[in-house]
Amino acid sequence: MDVKATPNGVATIEDRILRITGYYGYYPGYSSQKSTSRASVTRCKPGANCPSSHSAISRQLSPLSVTEDSSAPILELQSRGASGVCGHRVERQNKSGEDGTQTHPENSSQENRVKARCLSCTSMVLKAVWGLLIILSVSSSWVGTTQIAKITFKNFYCPFFMTWFSTNWNIMFFPVYYSGHLATAQEKQSPMKKFRECSRIFGEDGLTLKLFLKRTAPFSILWTLTNYLYLLALKKLTATDVSALFCCHKAFVFLLSWIVLKDRFMGVRIVAAIMAITGIVMMAYADNFHADSIIGVAFAVGSASTSALYKVLFKMFLGSANFGEAAHFVSTLGFFNLIFISFTPVILYFTKVEHWSSFAALPWGCLCGMAGLWLVFNILVNVGVVLTYPILISIGTLLSVPGNAAVDLLKQEVIFNVVRLAATIVICIGFLLMLLPEEWDEITLRFIKSLKEKKSEEHVDDLTDSSAYLRSRSRVNGTVSLPLA
């Protein structure tokens, strides 16, 4: 029932209630215009143009845009009450505009990702190429050192003098590193500045006389013992046997690191250590436990043990070192050997333990060749860690075993029986097991899981393809019309 208009302009009961309750967006004459708006709204079919309805709605909403607070909820109602087709068109246009503004950064980000992937692939390929070259260089230098030492023993058997002479060549390690620094670095440094920078491996104060004697002496003794015992073993055994037995140093490094450094226990490396010990026993048994064979095996195992102790103590007291610090340290070992260990070959000379007639009679060509290849081997081991993956350096050392075997077979200095061949294979397998990473079991499980997922996806794709083929065949068969008789 309608009520007559009052002096204050309120025409109906509905307007009076809305004014009393303070309805948001109220204005006088709301109900009358609401009724007219309802009467003016016409229905249209979906997809049809409704200009009259849109114009009526816009005319009715135009008085409501007086303030932002009152227009906000009404505009929301307008967007919801408008025609579905028109509203969707507006939303699609807005989305297309937003997508157009975002296409350029998305394209640039995709280009950056592609460039990053290309750079990573290129770096991986370069590392693999460098790794292949370093593997061949490491194995060939170690094989050359061993074979030249064997040749030298035929006319000149002074293993300690050969060890001392070869170790003195380590002094040239740091000059070789500094020459590479001058050739490759953009910012050149003076020799003294570079020397002080690399001497931080001894501590923050650098290389002092106390640290020189305290840190260098034990490592120089271990270095000399490793090479000296290796040469002694070469006199008793073939180069193949000695190089295979020397590969046991990886197992000894793991055992010492587990005991001394409290490294993580790994069952697979325990198996590798057991295989190395088994190979040592089989190698001694290969010649029916002959005296020279047992002594040679003992010398080779002793060389591997001192090498392992050297690496564990280096990790304990000096930690990890970069290429420059390693070059500095090895050159320091050469200086210590020249200054403090030179009296030992002199004593052996005058006691007739290692005696030679004159210095002119020494095989200087073989001595310099062995010392040069030994220096190249030490440089390649440290350079390879920088240029490629460290595991490839170990593989290069392992490949010296078949390299020495090939040379021994050509020289007809070794006869491979079943026991010796089995011992060599067992030691090499143990060496390879030592190269497995600590998370090898998790990596293997992930790899197997990924293979299973790929197989399941391929199986699902085959099923979908076969089902699609069957559907197409059934449709073709359904459309074929048979002629009536």
Side-chain angles (χ1 to χ4, degrees):
M1 182 177 67
D2 294 335
V3 180
K4 293 180 181 181
T6 55
N8 57 4
V10 179
T12 62
I13 297 175
E14 186 178 356
D15 286 339
R16 188 180 299 175
I17 293 172
L18 291 175
R19 191 191 65 169
I20 295 171
T21 56
Y23 177 73
Y24 186 73
Y26 162 76
Y27 63 96
Y30 174 81
S31 58
S32 60
Q33 291 192 8
K34 184 178 178 182
S35 59
T36 58
S37 65
R38 286 177 181 174
S40 63
V41 173
T42 59
R43 295 184 180 272
C44 62
K45 294 182 180 180
N49 294 325
C50 307
S52 59
S53 62
H54 287 292
S55 60
I57 293 172
S58 60
R59 283 195 302 269
Q60 291 161 16
L61 293 178
S62 57
L64 301 179
S65 58
V66 178
T67 60
E68 294 181 359
D69 294 336
S70 62
S71 64
I74 304 300
L75 288 175
E76 183 180 357
L77 291 174
Q78 180 189 9
S79 63
R80 291 180 183 177
S83 174
V85 176
C86 300
H88 285 298
R89 286 178 181 174
V90 173
E91 289 178 359
R92 287 175 184 175
Q93 290 176 359
N94 293 333
K95 287 182 180 180
S96 63
E98 292 176 358
D99 293 339
T101 57
Q102 293 177 0
T103 49
H104 183 68
E106 286 180 357
N107 292 331
S108 62
S109 63
Q110 289 179 357
E111 291 177 358
N112 293 331
R113 290 175 184 174
V114 171
K115 289 180 181 179
R117 289 178 181 176
C118 292
L119 289 175
S120 63
C121 292
T122 306
S123 63
M124 288 178 66
V125 170
L126 288 176
K127 274 194 171 186
V129 172
W130 278 113
L132 181 61
L133 295 175
I134 288 176
I135 283 175
L136 298 175
S137 303
V138 167
S139 59
S140 59
S141 61
W142 190 240
V143 170
T145 302
T146 306
Q147 295 295 331
I148 291 176
K150 289 285 290 185
I151 295 171
T152 309
F153 285 159
K154 294 180 179 180
N155 301 319
F156 180 77
Y157 182 67
C158 296
F160 194 89
F161 176 79
M162 294 168 65
T163 302
W164 173 82
F165 181 77
S166 301
T167 307
N168 288 335
W169 281 52
N170 289 339
I171 298 174
M172 294 187 289
F173 199 158
F174 186 79
V176 170
Y177 163 74
Y178 185 73
S179 301
H181 165 73
L182 291 178
T184 57
Q186 296 180 353
E187 298 180 359
K188 317 294 182 184
Q189 294 182 358
S190 62
M192 288 303 299
K193 186 177 181 181
K194 196 66 180 176
F195 184 83
R196 290 171 184 171
E197 178 183 343
C198 295
S199 65
R200 292 177 183 174
I201 188 174
F202 295 98
E204 294 295 332
D205 298 333
L207 183 63
T208 60
L209 181 60
K210 181 180 179 181
L211 288 175
F212 177 73
L213 297 175
K214 182 180 178 181
R215 295 289 175 88
T216 310
F219 291 105
S220 180
I221 293 171
L222 289 173
W223 183 287
T224 304
L225 277 176
T226 299
N227 298 333
Y228 179 60
L229 291 173
Y230 189 85
L231 294 178
L232 288 177
L234 283 175
K235 183 65 177 178
K236 303 292 182 180
L237 301 173
T238 62
T240 305
D241 296 344
V242 176
S243 58
L245 290 169
F246 187 75
C247 288
C248 296
H249 76 277
K250 278 284 184 181
F252 299 150
V253 167
F254 165 69
L255 293 175
L256 289 173
S257 300
W258 179 39
I259 296 170
V260 178
L261 302 179
K262 308 298 181 183
D263 280 356
R264 178 184 173 185
F265 174 81
M266 290 183 62
V268 67
R269 292 186 179 176
I270 290 292
V271 174
I274 295 172
M275 293 180 69
I277 296 170
T278 304
I280 292 169
V281 176
M282 292 175 66
M283 193 69 72
Y285 177 74
D287 294 326
N288 295 323
F289 293 103
H290 192 267
D292 288 342
S293 177
I294 294 175
I295 294 172
V297 170
F299 284 150
V301 173
S303 176
S305 302
T306 51
S307 175
L309 185 61
Y310 173 92
K311 293 181 178 180
V312 172
L313 291 179
F314 187 92
K315 186 177 180 180
M316 179 185 294
F317 293 108
L318 300 176
S320 59
N322 55 31
F323 184 34
E325 293 173 347
H328 182 282
F329 185 76
V330 174
S331 295
T332 307
L333 292 180
F335 273 109
F336 186 91
N337 179 78
L338 180 64
I339 296 171
F340 294 99
I341 303 182
S342 296
F343 68 92
T344 306
V346 175
I347 294 173
L348 295 176
Y349 176 80
F350 286 107
T351 57
K352 301 298 180 70
V353 176
E354 293 186 0
H355 186 75
W356 55 92
S357 58
S358 64
F359 283 98
L362 294 177
W364 291 110
C366 291
L367 291 175
C368 292
M370 184 190 69
L373 286 176
W374 221 324
L375 177 63
V376 169
F377 174 79
N378 292 322
I379 291 175
L380 288 174
V381 167
N382 290 278
V383 170
V385 176
V386 178
L387 295 179
T388 184
Y389 304 100
I391 191 173
L392 299 180
I393 309 301
S394 301
I395 294 175
T397 306
L398 179 64
L399 290 179
S400 64
V401 178
N404 281 314
V407 175
D408 288 343
L409 286 174
L410 292 175
K411 293 166 59 179
Q412 296 180 354
E413 291 186 355
V414 63
I415 299 174
F416 284 103
N417 54 20
V418 178
V419 179
R420 178 176 277 109
L421 185 61
T424 304
I425 293 174
V426 167
I427 291 174
C428 292
I429 292 174
F431 185 89
L432 290 174
L433 289 177
M434 283 291 173
L435 299 181
L436 291 175
E438 293 184 355
E439 300 83 7
W440 71 274
D441 50 350
E442 298 178 359
I443 295 172
T444 306
L445 291 175
R446 268 185 265 148
F447 179 72
I448 294 172
K449 186 177 179 181
S450 63
L451 287 179
K452 290 182 178 179
E453 289 178 353
K454 286 182 180 179
K455 287 183 179 179
S456 62
E457 289 176 358
E458 291 177 356
H459 182 65
V460 170
D461 292 338
D462 293 338
L463 289 176
T464 53
D465 293 339
S466 61
S467 62
Y469 177 73
L470 291 174
R471 287 173 190 165
S472 62
R473 292 285 298 175
S474 62
R475 288 174 183 173
V476 170
N477 292 332
T479 55
V480 172
S481 59
L482 295 174
L484 297 175

